[in-house]
Amino acid sequence: MRIAVPNKGRLHEPTIDLLERAGLHLENGADRKLYADTVDPEVTVLFARAADIPEYVSDGAADLGITGFDQVREARVDDVAELLDLEFGRCRLVLAAPEDGDIDAVEDLTGATIATEFPNVTTDFFADTSVDPDIVEVSGATELTPHVEMADAIVDITSTGTTLKMNRLAVVEEVLASSVRLFGREDVLDDPKVDEVRTALSSVKRAEGKRYLMMNVPRDRLDDVREVIPGLGGPTIMDIADGSDGEAMVAVHAVVNERDVFETITDVKNAGASDILVTEIERLVE
Ligand SMILES: Nc1ncnc2c1ncn2[C@@H]1O[C@H](COP(=O)(O)OP(=O)(O)OP(=O)(O)O)[C@@H](O)[C@H]1O
Ligand SMILES: O=P(O)(O)OC[C@H]1O[C@H](OP(=O)(O)OP(=O)(O)O)[C@H](O)[C@@H]1O
Ligand SMILES: [Mg+2]
């Protein structure tokens, strides 16, 4: 099983980090190599440009791929299926035009020229509209093209909006919302390894923002404590040896959203819990 992942750029590090956290540790270094083995002898990682990954998966050079949804759409591969939204690399492909110009709506683009690194996504977008502008493919610095009279508008990636603003461009319309996805070629989806990889990656995503809470509770206060633990499924309750004064005690373990931890600690303490421990969770397998 070969997984194609971004070899550089902003998606490289978070992808490697995710594989590591999922337990798919890379064995022989990730830098400047084409391939890396992982702890799983059946799983190899192939490093490729983010834009080439969908094609690698479709062609069979790799079986699974991790890259932006924008790249999957641009590659127009029809034999791959999405397996998981990895929820990072969030950005939008937008149609943008000079702030002080007269393009305020898609309809203003009749006879116009659009510069983009995403000619296919752009073509598909305009196919659903009443206008049919010329599309010019560029390979970078797209935001510059309206200022050098190469284009009237652009379709480009934005996330914070800083680059558009710096170039005095305003969003006319959203073309596509993107984030990084795990996807696979349809003819390998039955391989149990695919599900293993998907489960491992989704277990990391599920654990993000969660904490594991452990505490001791006198048995006769258990109901009060249970009431104040915000539910992500019921807590686990275990008998423990009686307290020093012979009081019957139980251990209560629960998975809690990180943002609820502060309040929950106060609440369970007031309800009678003691020896409260909070730990991070690496993975949460369904
Ligand atoms: N500003 C951004 N915020 C969030 N995600 C982004 C942003 N820019 C790009 N991305 C996502 O990252 C993907 C790859 O972009 P990145 O800039 O890392 O690679 P690249 O420009 O293709 O790299 P290179 O040209 O150096 O190979 C994009 O297709 C998109 O999904
Ligand atoms: O809305 P913002 O936060 O400003 O992000 C948008 C910018 O990010 C990307 O460029 P990147 O930094 O990847 O440089 P690149 O053009 O070299 O790929 C994208 O092409 C935009 O130019
Ligand atoms: Mg880039």
Side-chain angles (χ1 to χ4, degrees), residues 10 143 156-163:
R10 66 180 69 229
E143 290 95 345
D156 200 16
I157 290 171
T158 183
S159 56
T160 62
T162 313
T163 312

Side-chain angles (χ1 to χ4, degrees), residues 183-203:
F183 56 94
R185 202 175 48 263
E186 273 164 0
D187 63 12
V188 300
L189 299 185
D190 289 342
D191 185 332
K193 213 44 163 186
V194 170
D195 211 48
E196 269 181 51
V197 171
R198 199 195 64 80
T199 302
L201 297 181
S202 83
S203 70

Side-chain angles (χ1 to χ4, degrees), residues 200-249:
L201 297 181
S202 83
S203 70
V204 174
K205 302 308 297 177
R206 293 185 69 220
E208 279 174 6
K210 309 271 190 345
R211 293 290 182 273
Y212 198 61
L213 221 59
M214 295 174 267
M215 66 202 81
N216 292 339
V217 179
R219 185 172 282 286
D220 61 5
R221 305 293 303 275
L222 182 58
D223 286 346
D224 297 340
V225 168
R226 275 177 107 141
E227 218 160 88
V228 294
I229 294 179
L232 279 178
T236 306
I237 295 158
M238 288 153 287
D239 284 320
I240 50 173
D242 291 349
S244 49
D245 53 0
E247 196 179 16
M249 300 288 284

Side-chain angles (χ1 to χ4, degrees), residues 8-11 49-50 68 70-71 89-91 118 157 159 178:
K8 58 186 178 115
R10 66 180 69 229
L11 302 184
R49 285 198 56 190
D70 52 346
Q71 302 293 359
R90 274 191 199 284
C91 56
F118 295 84
I157 290 171
S159 56
S178 181

